[in-house]
Amino acid sequence: MARFWNVFTLRNLLVLSLAINVSFMLRLVYVTVDIKREHMMAVDRSQREALPMQGAYLSVSSATSSPSLATFPDGDRDRAINLDHGDPTMYERFWQQEGDKATIVIPGWQSMSYFSDIGNLCWFLEPEFARQVLRLHKIVGNAVTENRHIVVGTGSTQLFQAVLYALASQDSEEPVSVVSAAPYYSSYQAITECLKSGLYKWEGDARSFAKEGRFIELVTSPNNPDGFLRDSVLNRSGGVLVHDFAYYWPQYTPITSSADYDIMLFTVSKTTGHAGMRIGWALVKDREIAKRMVKYIELNSIGVSKDSQLRAAKVLKVVCDSCESSSNTTESLFEFAYQLMVERWQNLRVAVKHSGMFSLPEFSPGFCKFTGRIFEPLPAFAWLKCEEPIEDCESFLRSNKILTRGGRHFGVGPQYVRISLLDRDDNFDLFVERLSSIRKDNLYQHMGE
Amino acid sequence: MARFWNVFTLRNLLVLSLAINVSFMLRLVYVTVDIKREHMMAVDRSQREALPMQGAYLSVSSATSSPSLATFPDGDRDRAINLDHGDPTMYERFWQQEGDKATIVIPGWQSMSYFSDIGNLCWFLEPEFARQVLRLHKIVGNAVTENRHIVVGTGSTQLFQAVLYALASQDSEEPVSVVSAAPYYSSYQAITECLKSGLYKWEGDARSFAKEGRFIELVTSPNNPDGFLRDSVLNRSGGVLVHDFAYYWPQYTPITSSADYDIMLFTVSKTTGHAGMRIGWALVKDREIAKRMVKYIELNSIGVSKDSQLRAAKVLKVVCDSCESSSNTTESLFEFAYQLMVERWQNLRVAVKHSGMFSLPEFSPGFCKFTGRIFEPLPAFAWLKCEEPIEDCESFLRSNKILTRGGRHFGVGPQYVRISLLDRDDNFDLFVERLSSIRKDNLYQHMGE
């Protein structure tokens, strides 16, 4: 045995050790390249997405500018800015800062079945997503979750339709009326009417609703488009309230109390900025209503993407963790978004004042139980009013290459528009700059006359 | 300088080299642990899913047994087997064999926008998914893709509704009739009727349809539930055909030609087994119809999960790669599933023969251009007929703890049932064993009398 070891000189051992070094080095490069390749593909994709498109079907883009672009070339300053949709791309920067924390890895053999949790009333609900939803509401304190069923949907858009189906009666001769106080979210009407359903019927502004019979009142609070906190306006029997709380988060409005209603809708899009996931959730008190909502989603899409639910769970977990962290170096998602909204609303109000051609809603401050701060609401949309002589605000802004959604879509007049404030920094900055430059003394030039 | 090098003895260099080795080892462990942790979480989840549930809302489970369970404890042999849904869990084994090939990594900051490809008519379609869809059709040769628009949907279920919306007229007083030759896919009726739409109306069996006016005929080929290849049965003007090709893949039926129709629907669920993704696609010739389908999906769910589209792209890529690989050691997905279906149909036919109480459809063999094989169709469902004195086949099998879907759901009599053949091995084996044991001489015992 001793003889065996004697054949190894110190030199032999060194060569062996160096060989092992090289082998480790290669292995490490191999493993890292594999991971990097995935990430590179992801980065590539993102950069591709960030390129301006030519001959776009949607005539211009809200999503075409690079999130990291601090300045833009002169030719780019004339580009159209699409703030029609509430595309929440301003959140990209936060998630880039978070690095790999919210990265998800899904092997090919995972999540293949239709079923997520067959013991649950909502059999397509991923348990980990449900856990993080409950955890987030507990941390933020914006909704009561005790004795509620969670129903997951392909965005809160699908959940809204599930609610209509669940509340309508299959046996009734008359469709149930659907109303909301104007200005109301434009999609409510479009969705309710699109299939000419015999189960429910859009009846418009809740304030002017005088019809007999059963009704559903949609209460969006903070309201889309105008940002005000809302309560039901119809104070009579025969109605069911549906609360859309897409924007009841501490970056948009003070969390004054824990909402405690029968049917409450939420969406990941406006909470964390992940609109592309198409994930929303409902908190529903009544078991039969929840069951009928599940039935609708079963018929409409046989459940909800598991991949997106798993990713949403991961993203919500990172948000919860960042709120619970005691470290001062960790900025929570809500703090990031709140600071950005403060800055954007300040800049917007300065631009509106400088222009003199527009006005914005004024809000009262409130005490936020989550942050302990007193602040004025910072809505995700600006509900902008054009002053005279501008009659059609959407057309006017369009002629200035600012795409918005006109008041008529929301049940009010054309002097109003809804403008998304959740776009990427460069788009928002360019919008504010352009708005600011529209003044009474150069108005006719801006009207293209 | 020479002096500097002199301080290093061979022994020093060896120690240094060993230290570098240790450092590499730690680094490698660190990187690997990071990846493994993600994978372990995924495995954990999958195993949790595989646990039988107590007090299940859906009374029994098709998805509760472990995919790797070759034998089952005696107590487990009496469990109910749910073959009501076409849950394609038999594919899990293939994807486990493929290991990390189809693993997807999505960083937190990716795919946040609503938009995927604003230059495309279908603005929520992920370009890489579209590329792999085109590639797969080209490889398999089951559908013509030239001059078609791809519309992605939350499963082909959502696409079916998008087609109804797109083909119906918003202005017409009369709803368009929707028909399909019986036995037809049970969900067609349920979905068409559920909202009492004024745009379209379910009119049942196409063979007995005699109404005037516009109609949509749904042609499912191979047919769900009975597996036969189909053509339109209504040969008259005023109709539009919609081809549901969910099962037109070479593991289920010979690919005899490249389908070339105006509206063709496909789904990832039945192609690769990833039902939980909820991803389907339509190939649509007419631009206006495609645009209206996109409009429906915009209203119904503001697009389709990006995460699932990206994962579907990856999975389809692996399938394409496995088909194109010249290596004999690589088994393609289609070969894996074909071999399994051959085996399952053989076992099922032996059991049916042994029992003597049931019958199955008989199919003619065809030449598959993709594989170059001649074989008989191997449908994803068994369309089983109970012989007399059994009248209600679904109830009879239910009393033997085999859950199936009865003929009435498909527009025919109760002597038929549809049984999924895509479940995990242990569930399928137990089903065949149980079916085989039902014989005329012990029938009354099996009828619970």
Tab-separated table of all heavy atoms in Angstrom, chain B residues 274-317:
chain	number	residue	atom	x	y	z
B	274	HIS	N	-50.486	19.045	-22.008
B	274	HIS	CA	-50.447	20.145	-21.040
B	274	HIS	C	-51.802	20.855	-20.934
B	274	HIS	O	-51.971	21.993	-21.381
B	274	HIS	CB	-49.344	21.137	-21.421
B	274	HIS	CG	-47.969	20.575	-21.226
B	274	HIS	ND1	-47.324	19.839	-22.196
B	274	HIS	CD2	-47.134	20.603	-20.154
B	274	HIS	CE1	-46.141	19.456	-21.742
B	274	HIS	NE2	-46.001	19.902	-20.502
B	275	ALA	N	-52.743	20.184	-20.285
B	275	ALA	CA	-54.090	20.744	-20.140
B	275	ALA	C	-54.085	21.961	-19.214
B	275	ALA	O	-54.840	22.907	-19.419
B	275	ALA	CB	-55.038	19.676	-19.608
B	276	GLY	N	-53.229	21.925	-18.185
B	276	GLY	CA	-53.185	23.000	-17.198
B	276	GLY	C	-52.734	24.343	-17.763
B	276	GLY	O	-52.932	25.375	-17.143
B	277	MET	N	-52.118	24.308	-18.941
B	277	MET	CA	-51.688	25.569	-19.574
B	277	MET	C	-52.869	26.384	-20.087
B	277	MET	O	-52.775	27.587	-20.204
B	277	MET	CB	-50.805	25.276	-20.797
B	277	MET	CG	-49.393	24.908	-20.508
B	277	MET	SD	-48.547	24.731	-22.100
B	277	MET	CE	-46.989	24.041	-21.545
B	278	ARG	N	-53.945	25.736	-20.478
B	278	ARG	CA	-55.098	26.385	-21.106
B	278	ARG	C	-54.682	27.171	-22.356
B	278	ARG	O	-54.968	28.362	-22.482
B	278	ARG	CB	-55.840	27.303	-20.106
B	278	ARG	CG	-56.172	26.732	-18.749
B	278	ARG	CD	-56.866	25.371	-18.769
B	278	ARG	NE	-57.989	25.322	-19.674
B	278	ARG	CZ	-58.046	24.514	-20.745
B	278	ARG	NH1	-57.083	23.674	-21.060
B	278	ARG	NH2	-59.095	24.514	-21.506
B	279	ILE	N	-54.045	26.485	-23.283
B	279	ILE	CA	-53.629	27.140	-24.527
B	279	ILE	C	-54.159	26.368	-25.729
B	279	ILE	O	-53.960	25.158	-25.831
B	279	ILE	CB	-52.088	27.255	-24.615
B	279	ILE	CG1	-51.535	28.178	-23.540
B	279	ILE	CG2	-51.651	27.739	-26.007
B	279	ILE	CD1	-51.835	29.657	-23.713
B	280	GLY	N	-54.844	27.088	-26.602
B	280	GLY	CA	-55.279	26.537	-27.874
B	280	GLY	C	-54.956	27.534	-28.977
B	280	GLY	O	-54.546	28.663	-28.694
B	281	TRP	N	-55.105	27.099	-30.227
B	281	TRP	CA	-54.911	28.040	-31.320
B	281	TRP	C	-55.870	27.745	-32.464
B	281	TRP	O	-56.330	26.610	-32.622
B	281	TRP	CB	-53.456	28.053	-31.807
B	281	TRP	CG	-52.971	26.822	-32.520
B	281	TRP	CD1	-52.943	26.619	-33.870
B	281	TRP	CD2	-52.417	25.632	-31.925
B	281	TRP	NE1	-52.407	25.376	-34.143
B	281	TRP	CE2	-52.072	24.747	-32.971
B	281	TRP	CE3	-52.167	25.226	-30.610
B	281	TRP	CZ2	-51.524	23.488	-32.754
B	281	TRP	CZ3	-51.612	23.967	-30.379
B	281	TRP	CH2	-51.297	23.123	-31.437
B	282	ALA	N	-56.177	28.799	-33.212
B	282	ALA	CA	-57.035	28.654	-34.384
B	282	ALA	C	-56.256	29.092	-35.607
B	282	ALA	O	-55.458	30.035	-35.534
B	282	ALA	CB	-58.278	29.522	-34.219
B	283	LEU	N	-56.448	28.358	-36.715
B	283	LEU	CA	-55.923	28.792	-38.012
B	283	LEU	C	-57.125	29.309	-38.805
B	283	LEU	O	-58.076	28.556	-39.049
B	283	LEU	CB	-55.253	27.626	-38.747
B	283	LEU	CG	-54.088	26.937	-38.017
B	283	LEU	CD1	-53.566	25.769	-38.846
B	283	LEU	CD2	-52.959	27.925	-37.737
B	284	VAL	N	-57.089	30.574	-39.149
B	284	VAL	CA	-58.271	31.231	-39.718
B	284	VAL	C	-57.911	31.909	-41.036
B	284	VAL	O	-56.960	32.691	-41.100
B	284	VAL	CB	-58.833	32.280	-38.726
B	284	VAL	CG1	-60.100	32.904	-39.274
B	284	VAL	CG2	-59.085	31.648	-37.368
B	285	LYS	N	-58.661	31.583	-42.078
B	285	LYS	CA	-58.339	32.093	-43.411
B	285	LYS	C	-58.781	33.559	-43.569
B	285	LYS	O	-58.042	34.389	-44.047
B	285	LYS	CB	-59.049	31.225	-44.461
B	285	LYS	CG	-58.306	31.159	-45.793
B	285	LYS	CD	-59.082	30.338	-46.788
B	285	LYS	CE	-58.376	29.042	-47.143
B	285	LYS	NZ	-59.192	28.192	-48.022
B	286	ASP	N	-59.992	33.850	-43.133
B	286	ASP	CA	-60.570	35.175	-43.376
B	286	ASP	C	-60.109	36.180	-42.314
B	286	ASP	O	-60.274	35.963	-41.110
B	286	ASP	CB	-62.101	35.069	-43.362
B	286	ASP	CG	-62.764	36.376	-43.719
B	286	ASP	OD1	-63.007	36.612	-44.908
B	286	ASP	OD2	-63.024	37.178	-42.789
B	287	ARG	N	-59.560	37.284	-42.808
B	287	ARG	CA	-58.999	38.287	-41.909
B	287	ARG	C	-60.056	38.901	-40.981
B	287	ARG	O	-59.813	39.132	-39.805
B	287	ARG	CB	-58.330	39.383	-42.755
B	287	ARG	CG	-57.648	40.450	-41.953
B	287	ARG	CD	-56.994	41.512	-42.863
B	287	ARG	NE	-56.485	42.598	-42.048
B	287	ARG	CZ	-55.323	42.580	-41.411
B	287	ARG	NH1	-54.550	41.528	-41.520
B	287	ARG	NH2	-54.947	43.598	-40.655
B	288	GLU	N	-61.240	39.163	-41.532
B	288	GLU	CA	-62.282	39.807	-40.727
B	288	GLU	C	-62.776	38.884	-39.619
B	288	GLU	O	-63.051	39.332	-38.501
B	288	GLU	CB	-63.454	40.255	-41.613
B	288	GLU	CG	-63.130	41.430	-42.515
B	288	GLU	CD	-62.481	42.597	-41.757
B	288	GLU	OE1	-63.060	43.040	-40.760
B	288	GLU	OE2	-61.383	43.038	-42.158
B	289	ILE	N	-62.898	37.596	-39.937
B	289	ILE	CA	-63.312	36.629	-38.905
B	289	ILE	C	-62.246	36.551	-37.819
B	289	ILE	O	-62.550	36.585	-36.621
B	289	ILE	CB	-63.590	35.247	-39.533
B	289	ILE	CG1	-64.837	35.327	-40.427
B	289	ILE	CG2	-63.763	34.176	-38.451
B	289	ILE	CD1	-65.124	34.066	-41.218
B	290	ALA	N	-60.986	36.486	-38.229
B	290	ALA	CA	-59.891	36.449	-37.249
B	290	ALA	C	-59.929	37.695	-36.363
B	290	ALA	O	-59.765	37.599	-35.135
B	290	ALA	CB	-58.549	36.335	-37.964
B	291	LYS	N	-60.181	38.851	-36.965
B	291	LYS	CA	-60.229	40.101	-36.192
B	291	LYS	C	-61.355	40.082	-35.170
B	291	LYS	O	-61.198	40.544	-34.030
B	291	LYS	CB	-60.429	41.297	-37.131
B	291	LYS	CG	-59.136	41.910	-37.608
B	291	LYS	CD	-59.344	42.921	-38.716
B	291	LYS	CE	-59.852	44.259	-38.223
B	291	LYS	NZ	-59.867	45.253	-39.341
B	292	ARG	N	-62.486	39.519	-35.572
B	292	ARG	CA	-63.615	39.467	-34.636
B	292	ARG	C	-63.357	38.438	-33.519
B	292	ARG	O	-63.796	38.640	-32.378
B	292	ARG	CB	-64.921	39.170	-35.379
B	292	ARG	CG	-65.425	40.405	-36.169
B	292	ARG	CD	-66.688	40.118	-36.953
B	292	ARG	NE	-67.777	39.636	-36.122
B	292	ARG	CZ	-68.567	40.410	-35.380
B	292	ARG	NH1	-68.374	41.705	-35.355
B	292	ARG	NH2	-69.534	39.881	-34.677
B	293	MET	N	-62.657	37.371	-33.839
B	293	MET	CA	-62.280	36.419	-32.784
B	293	MET	C	-61.360	37.096	-31.765
B	293	MET	O	-61.514	36.940	-30.550
B	293	MET	CB	-61.572	35.202	-33.404
B	293	MET	CG	-62.504	34.283	-34.175
B	293	MET	SD	-61.628	32.901	-34.981
B	293	MET	CE	-61.105	31.948	-33.541
B	294	VAL	N	-60.409	37.868	-32.285
B	294	VAL	CA	-59.496	38.609	-31.404
B	294	VAL	C	-60.292	39.574	-30.525
B	294	VAL	O	-60.032	39.700	-29.320
B	294	VAL	CB	-58.429	39.352	-32.242
B	294	VAL	CG1	-57.680	40.389	-31.414
B	294	VAL	CG2	-57.453	38.354	-32.864
B	295	LYS	N	-61.287	40.213	-31.121
B	295	LYS	CA	-62.122	41.160	-30.371
B	295	LYS	C	-62.824	40.443	-29.207
B	295	LYS	O	-62.894	40.960	-28.096
B	295	LYS	CB	-63.165	41.786	-31.316
B	295	LYS	CG	-64.052	42.825	-30.662
B	295	LYS	CD	-63.284	44.094	-30.360
B	295	LYS	CE	-64.024	44.995	-29.398
B	295	LYS	NZ	-63.170	46.092	-28.913
B	296	TYR	N	-63.347	39.239	-29.491
B	296	TYR	CA	-64.021	38.485	-28.423
B	296	TYR	C	-63.062	38.182	-27.274
B	296	TYR	O	-63.396	38.377	-26.098
B	296	TYR	CB	-64.614	37.172	-28.953
B	296	TYR	CG	-65.182	36.328	-27.826
B	296	TYR	CD1	-66.447	36.598	-27.313
B	296	TYR	CD2	-64.429	35.323	-27.231
B	296	TYR	CE1	-66.949	35.878	-26.240
B	296	TYR	CE2	-64.924	34.588	-26.153
B	296	TYR	CZ	-66.187	34.875	-25.668
B	296	TYR	OH	-66.683	34.164	-24.598
B	297	ILE	N	-61.861	37.726	-27.619
B	297	ILE	CA	-60.893	37.355	-26.571
B	297	ILE	C	-60.444	38.601	-25.796
B	297	ILE	O	-60.190	38.543	-24.599
B	297	ILE	CB	-59.723	36.563	-27.183
B	297	ILE	CG1	-60.266	35.233	-27.722
B	297	ILE	CG2	-58.606	36.320	-26.171
B	297	ILE	CD1	-59.289	34.412	-28.528
B	298	GLU	N	-60.417	39.728	-26.503
B	298	GLU	CA	-60.118	41.010	-25.850
B	298	GLU	C	-61.211	41.337	-24.822
B	298	GLU	O	-60.917	41.712	-23.687
B	298	GLU	CB	-60.106	42.068	-26.957
B	298	GLU	CG	-59.291	43.288	-26.690
B	298	GLU	CD	-59.338	44.221	-27.911
B	298	GLU	OE1	-59.048	43.755	-29.027
B	298	GLU	OE2	-59.682	45.399	-27.719
B	299	LEU	N	-62.453	41.155	-25.210
B	299	LEU	CA	-63.568	41.434	-24.298
B	299	LEU	C	-63.636	40.396	-23.178
B	299	LEU	O	-63.900	40.716	-22.028
B	299	LEU	CB	-64.899	41.422	-25.068
B	299	LEU	CG	-65.178	42.628	-25.952
B	299	LEU	CD1	-66.323	42.328	-26.913
B	299	LEU	CD2	-65.503	43.859	-25.103
B	300	ASN	N	-63.403	39.133	-23.508
B	300	ASN	CA	-63.601	38.041	-22.567
B	300	ASN	C	-62.478	37.932	-21.532
B	300	ASN	O	-62.733	37.614	-20.371
B	300	ASN	CB	-63.742	36.729	-23.355
B	300	ASN	CG	-64.188	35.554	-22.505
B	300	ASN	OD1	-63.615	34.475	-22.590
B	300	ASN	ND2	-65.188	35.737	-21.657
B	301	SER	N	-61.243	38.213	-21.938
B	301	SER	CA	-60.136	38.047	-20.976
B	301	SER	C	-58.934	38.951	-21.280
B	301	SER	O	-57.846	38.693	-20.743
B	301	SER	CB	-59.684	36.583	-20.943
B	301	SER	OG	-59.313	36.139	-22.232
B	302	ILE	N	-59.105	39.994	-22.094
B	302	ILE	CA	-58.002	40.899	-22.491
B	302	ILE	C	-56.750	40.091	-22.830
B	302	ILE	O	-55.664	40.290	-22.266
B	302	ILE	CB	-57.681	41.961	-21.410
B	302	ILE	CG1	-58.950	42.461	-20.694
B	302	ILE	CG2	-56.944	43.147	-22.035
B	302	ILE	CD1	-58.680	43.608	-19.703
B	303	GLY	N	-56.918	39.156	-23.765
B	303	GLY	CA	-55.771	38.357	-24.197
B	303	GLY	C	-55.631	37.046	-23.446
B	303	GLY	O	-56.540	36.641	-22.717
B	304	VAL	N	-54.487	36.422	-23.643
B	304	VAL	CA	-54.237	35.056	-23.161
B	304	VAL	C	-52.908	35.038	-22.406
B	304	VAL	O	-51.949	35.676	-22.855
B	304	VAL	CB	-54.163	34.096	-24.374
B	304	VAL	CG1	-53.769	32.696	-23.950
B	304	VAL	CG2	-55.504	34.081	-25.119
B	305	SER	N	-52.874	34.325	-21.290
B	305	SER	CA	-51.662	34.230	-20.460
B	305	SER	C	-50.383	34.151	-21.296
B	305	SER	O	-50.195	33.240	-22.091
B	305	SER	CB	-51.739	32.986	-19.573
B	305	SER	OG	-50.443	32.652	-19.093
B	306	LYS	N	-49.485	35.114	-21.071
B	306	LYS	CA	-48.194	35.088	-21.767
B	306	LYS	C	-47.323	33.959	-21.246
B	306	LYS	O	-46.576	33.339	-21.997
B	306	LYS	CB	-47.447	36.408	-21.524
B	306	LYS	CG	-47.953	37.559	-22.317
B	306	LYS	CD	-46.985	38.725	-22.149
B	306	LYS	CE	-47.340	39.845	-23.085
B	306	LYS	NZ	-46.307	40.896	-23.070
B	307	ASP	N	-47.400	33.717	-19.943
B	307	ASP	CA	-46.561	32.684	-19.323
B	307	ASP	C	-46.848	31.333	-19.959
B	307	ASP	O	-45.939	30.579	-20.305
B	307	ASP	CB	-46.828	32.625	-17.818
B	307	ASP	CG	-46.781	34.017	-17.207
B	307	ASP	OD1	-45.832	34.754	-17.499
B	307	ASP	OD2	-47.722	34.375	-16.478
B	308	SER	N	-48.117	31.031	-20.120
B	308	SER	CA	-48.479	29.744	-20.704
B	308	SER	C	-48.128	29.692	-22.186
B	308	SER	O	-47.739	28.640	-22.691
B	308	SER	CB	-49.967	29.459	-20.487
B	308	SER	OG	-50.177	29.123	-19.130
B	309	GLN	N	-48.246	30.802	-22.872
B	309	GLN	CA	-47.843	30.810	-24.286
B	309	GLN	C	-46.345	30.540	-24.418
B	309	GLN	O	-45.917	29.784	-25.297
B	309	GLN	CB	-48.171	32.156	-24.923
B	309	GLN	CG	-49.632	32.383	-25.202
B	309	GLN	CD	-49.836	33.633	-26.052
B	309	GLN	OE1	-49.482	33.688	-27.217
B	309	GLN	NE2	-50.418	34.653	-25.446
B	310	LEU	N	-45.554	31.163	-23.533
B	310	LEU	CA	-44.106	30.959	-23.595
B	310	LEU	C	-43.755	29.509	-23.270
B	310	LEU	O	-42.904	28.892	-23.899
B	310	LEU	CB	-43.399	31.896	-22.602
B	310	LEU	CG	-43.472	33.384	-22.940
B	310	LEU	CD1	-42.824	34.207	-21.844
B	310	LEU	CD2	-42.779	33.656	-24.281
B	311	ARG	N	-44.475	28.960	-22.275
B	311	ARG	CA	-44.217	27.569	-21.900
B	311	ARG	C	-44.666	26.627	-23.019
B	311	ARG	O	-43.977	25.652	-23.339
B	311	ARG	CB	-44.954	27.252	-20.590
B	311	ARG	CG	-44.545	25.932	-20.030
B	311	ARG	CD	-44.954	25.740	-18.581
B	311	ARG	NE	-44.641	24.387	-18.205
B	311	ARG	CZ	-45.485	23.524	-17.679
B	311	ARG	NH1	-46.731	23.899	-17.404
B	311	ARG	NH2	-45.107	22.307	-17.396
B	312	ALA	N	-45.802	26.938	-23.618
B	312	ALA	CA	-46.295	26.122	-24.732
B	312	ALA	C	-45.298	26.154	-25.885
B	312	ALA	O	-45.028	25.125	-26.518
B	312	ALA	CB	-47.664	26.625	-25.188
B	313	ALA	N	-44.716	27.331	-26.140
B	313	ALA	CA	-43.721	27.457	-27.213
B	313	ALA	C	-42.548	26.519	-26.941
B	313	ALA	O	-42.073	25.817	-27.838
B	313	ALA	CB	-43.242	28.903	-27.312
B	314	LYS	N	-42.115	26.491	-25.701
B	314	LYS	CA	-40.974	25.645	-25.314
B	314	LYS	C	-41.315	24.173	-25.496
B	314	LYS	O	-40.518	23.393	-26.047
B	314	LYS	CB	-40.612	25.944	-23.846
B	314	LYS	CG	-39.383	25.235	-23.329
B	314	LYS	CD	-38.113	25.943	-23.788
B	314	LYS	CE	-36.862	25.310	-23.236
B	314	LYS	NZ	-36.253	26.074	-22.165
B	315	VAL	N	-42.484	23.802	-25.029
B	315	VAL	CA	-42.925	22.406	-25.106
B	315	VAL	C	-43.075	21.976	-26.577
B	315	VAL	O	-42.616	20.894	-26.962
B	315	VAL	CB	-44.243	22.250	-24.318
B	315	VAL	CG1	-44.983	21.006	-24.728
B	315	VAL	CG2	-43.956	22.237	-22.812
B	316	LEU	N	-43.675	22.819	-27.391
B	316	LEU	CA	-43.831	22.485	-28.816
B	316	LEU	C	-42.464	22.394	-29.497
B	316	LEU	O	-42.245	21.557	-30.375
B	316	LEU	CB	-44.709	23.516	-29.536
B	316	LEU	CG	-46.189	23.580	-29.134
B	316	LEU	CD1	-46.946	24.554	-30.041
B	316	LEU	CD2	-46.861	22.211	-29.192
B	317	LYS	N	-41.545	23.252	-29.067
B	317	LYS	CA	-40.188	23.216	-29.625
B	317	LYS	C	-39.533	21.859	-29.341
B	317	LYS	O	-38.926	21.251	-30.231
B	317	LYS	CB	-39.350	24.346	-29.024
B	317	LYS	CG	-37.950	24.427	-29.603
B	317	LYS	CD	-37.138	25.543	-28.961
B	317	LYS	CE	-35.743	25.593	-29.552
B	317	LYS	NZ	-34.948	24.386	-29.300
